[in-house]
Amino acid sequence: MASTACFVIVSRNDCPIYESEVGTAPKKDEAAHLHQFILHASLDIVQDVVWTTNAMYLKLVDKFNDLLVSVYVTADTHTRLMLLHDSRNEDGIKNFFQEVHELYIKMLLNPLYVPGSRITSPFFDTRVRTLARKYL
Amino acid sequence: MAPPTRAGDYPFAPVDRVNAELFTLTYGAIVRQLLTDFEEVEEVNKQLDTMGYNIGVRLIDDFLAKSNITRCSEFKDTAEVIAKVGFKMFLGVSATVSNWSADGSECSLILDDNPLADFVELPDTCQGLFYCNILCGVIRGALEMVSMRTEVKFVKDMLRGDDAFEIRLKLLEQVAEEYPYKDDE
């Protein structure tokens, strides 16, 4: 498992709707801010890369020192699943994204969830963390 | 299609079906809209019950016409018919009847699977919501049309973390049928 991993879902309106630190490294406040900052900065690159390919998994789009940013874009609404990580494990990350995408779709099918709003479901959170442990 | 084997299957076989997801999401949209319109969860529960009641009073005719069941001699039969035939016909799942009270006027209908509540997860803001409360209304309305006044409510809800959906069904009184004519006339 990766020691640093920060997972964020960004809605089509560029709002973060889900954030979690899924790495094993002990939590540090500055680190969390740094992660947010890097992910935020790579949003612009995502916007360019997304039109160059048909795939939803964009692989590595950005890096900052030893931190890498991988992104997966959903087909319909341009929701971006972004992962900041420090280990090179492309297959694992791809699987992780695919499974989280499925979870996210289930989330959207919930009539009581408003698309584009913050994901507060504890069930979703637990599942994402389990997937992170499994694949990253 | 295989010949029906159980009581509930027979009326179910020729009925038109609808895609389960369409059904679930349509119901979800109704609840969502009610939550936006009424804002209060309690009010939404009441509204769902009323809507169900209005469905029930109409649905019972359809049910009697298609199911070919005979008159129930006592309340226990009625509960069985609702659980095994009614639910199967209109919801596609059957319920089990249990927890009878000593005097036989109160029982529970237990649903292990409820297509209405697929995909649903209650957010913190609607904790008091009985998402499937419409079912209570349907049963109440239908029974009222066959001269049974009942009280129906949810006591267990999987969406609130219980192990099943449990609907408590209580017979308040059996309204005697009144004929508009006399026998000797």
Side-chain angles (χ1 to χ4, degrees):
Chain A
M1 181 156 175
S3 61
T4 306
C6 173
F7 177 63
V8 173
I9 302 180
V10 182
S11 77
R12 65 182 309 177
N13 307 321
D14 296 335
C15 292
I17 55 174
Y18 174 82
E19 292 168 77
S20 68
E21 288 284 343
V22 287
T24 46
K27 281 204 177 83
K28 278 181 290 182
D29 255 0
E30 324 91 84
H33 290 145
L34 177 68
H35 296 165
Q36 248 182 19
F37 185 73
I38 299 168
L39 287 171
H40 190 265
S42 55
L43 273 176
D44 281 338
I45 306 172
V46 174
Q47 208 161 38
D48 292 336
V49 175
V50 82
W51 300 111
T52 61
T53 168
N54 280 331
M56 298 207 278
Y57 178 39
L58 305 181
K59 300 185 182 158
L60 277 184
V61 294
D62 197 10
K63 61 181 156 209
F64 178 84
N65 297 342
D66 58 341
L67 296 171
L68 311 164
V69 181
S70 290
V71 175
Y72 183 99
V73 182
T74 64
D76 49 351
T77 54
H78 269 242
T79 304
R80 281 140 292 175
L81 315 182
M82 307 179 75
L83 183 74
L84 183 82
H85 54 101
D86 58 2
S87 61
R88 290 187 178 271
N89 173 15
E90 218 161 76
D91 283 343
I93 291 172
K94 188 176 179 185
N95 288 333
F96 173 75
F97 276 141
Q98 273 167 348
E99 301 232 358
V100 174
H101 187 197
E102 257 174 56
L103 272 181
Y104 176 69
I105 291 172
K106 281 208 186 110
M107 194 71 214
L108 284 180
L109 282 173
N110 179 356
L112 300 179
Y113 170 73
V114 185
S117 69
R118 207 164 175 83
I119 300 177
T120 51
S121 154
F123 173 74
F124 185 85
D125 188 56
T126 334
R127 289 298 299 277
V128 168
R129 282 169 197 280
T130 319
L131 289 174
R133 263 199 299 280
K134 187 170 162 197
Y135 289 116
L136 302 182
Chain B
M1 192 176 287
T5 46
R6 283 171 301 152
D9 291 350
Y10 182 71
F12 185 61
V15 172
D16 288 334
R17 292 176 202 192
V18 62
N19 180 293
E21 270 153 30
L22 174 70
F23 174 67
T24 311
L25 291 178
T26 310
Y27 182 70
I30 292 175
V31 179
R32 166 90 249 155
Q33 190 61 45
L34 286 176
L35 278 167
T36 337
D37 289 352
F38 289 94
E39 289 166 5
E40 298 261 334
V41 170
E42 275 309 308
E43 200 55 41
V44 175
N45 285 342
K46 251 184 250 166
Q47 198 61 30
L48 281 172
D49 189 75
T50 317
M51 286 167 68
Y53 177 82
N54 289 328
I55 295 174
V57 296
R58 291 164 175 80
L59 204 63
I60 184 72
D61 256 332
D62 187 43
F63 174 72
L64 292 176
K66 283 184 188 153
S67 64
N68 295 322
I69 50 157
T70 49
R71 176 176 275 271
C72 299
S73 55
E74 56 177 333
F75 189 57
K76 287 197 173 180
D77 296 343
T78 315
E80 281 294 331
V81 167
I82 294 172
K84 294 281 165 333
V85 189
F87 271 103
K88 184 82 189 151
M89 220 170 132
F90 296 113
L91 208 56
V93 293
S94 49
T96 40
V97 188
S98 64
N99 298 346
W100 279 97
S101 65
D103 59 348
S105 72
E106 215 178 310
C107 68
S108 293
L109 301 175
I110 295 172
L111 284 166
D112 294 321
D113 180 29
N114 185 350
L116 281 180
D118 281 350
F119 317 128
V120 180
E121 201 181 322
L122 288 187
D124 292 340
T125 46
C126 354
Q127 279 308 321
L129 180 70
F130 284 112
Y131 186 79
C132 305
N133 217 23
I134 202 164
L135 295 178
C136 294
V138 173
I139 298 174
R140 189 167 61 89
L143 288 180
E144 191 159 310
M145 286 296 113
V146 287
S147 57
M148 275 175 262
R149 278 217 312 119
T150 48
E151 190 186 287
V152 190
K153 60 174 191 287
F154 267 100
V155 287
K156 273 191 195 172
D157 191 329
M158 264 163 141
L159 299 177
R160 297 174 163 202
D162 297 319
D163 52 350
F165 289 93
E166 179 172 340
I167 303 173
R168 197 76 183 144
L169 183 61
K170 183 179 183 184
L171 180 67
L172 296 177
E173 63 169 332
Q174 217 136 14
V175 187
E177 280 186 55
E178 285 174 20
Y179 295 101
Y181 54 85
K182 288 182 185 129
D183 272 350
D184 52 358
E185 270 174 11

